[in-house]
Amino acid sequence: MAVTRPTAPRSTARALAGLLAGAGVAHFAVPRPFDAIVPRALPGSPRTWTHVSGAAELALAACVALPRTRRVGALAAAGFFAAVYPANVKMARDWQHRSAPLRALAYGRLPLQLPLVGWALYVAKRAKRTEGQG
């Protein structure tokens, strides 16, 4: 008898997909703030990285939204959230001389990345293992 994992509540997965989609759209609609936090060590133009990361978020949103690809999409989203952490560190460093509310925003983003990773891992863990099944 096969043991199946319960599926994540659809609303949890939908909310994660919505967050990713919203962020992805924002990278194209209002790219300038994202350009500013691209780490300088990355080759090429910041706008290219903004568009690449926006496209990645849109692709991740689609994967998380679809039950067949939810598990792998959520795992990839967790990796993505970890990978963009250096941009948040750069933002905090760059904003250290800004007003107190802006500094608080920049520094407040740093610990929020961990719950995002956890949320994606939760969705992945609870997703049905149906990828690749007809």
Side-chain angles (χ1 to χ4, degrees), residues 8 28 39 70 81 88 91 128:
F28 291 97
R70 181 165 295 145
F81 290 142
N88 292 339
M91 181 180 178
K128 268 186 155 175

Side-chain angles (χ1 to χ4, degrees), residues 15-112:
L16 179 60
L19 173 87
L20 287 161
V25 167
H27 279 70
F28 291 97
V30 189
R32 190 176 281 157
F34 299 101
D35 294 346
I37 64 172
V38 172
R40 288 179 194 96
L42 292 175
S45 94
R47 181 61 51 92
T48 299
W49 286 104
T50 294
H51 286 160
V52 167
S53 61
E57 285 174 316
L58 290 170
L60 290 168
C63 288
V64 170
L66 298 171
R68 290 180 60 104
T69 56
R70 181 165 295 145
R71 183 174 175 278
V72 72
L75 288 172
F80 179 84
F81 290 142
V84 298
Y85 188 75
N88 292 339
V89 171
K90 181 182 183 307
M91 181 180 178
R93 283 186 179 167
D94 289 350
W95 288 22
Q96 62 186 336
H97 300 296
R98 295 213 178 171
S99 68
L102 290 177
R103 276 195 320 269
L105 173 70
Y107 287 110
R109 286 181 58 156
L110 296 174
L112 290 178

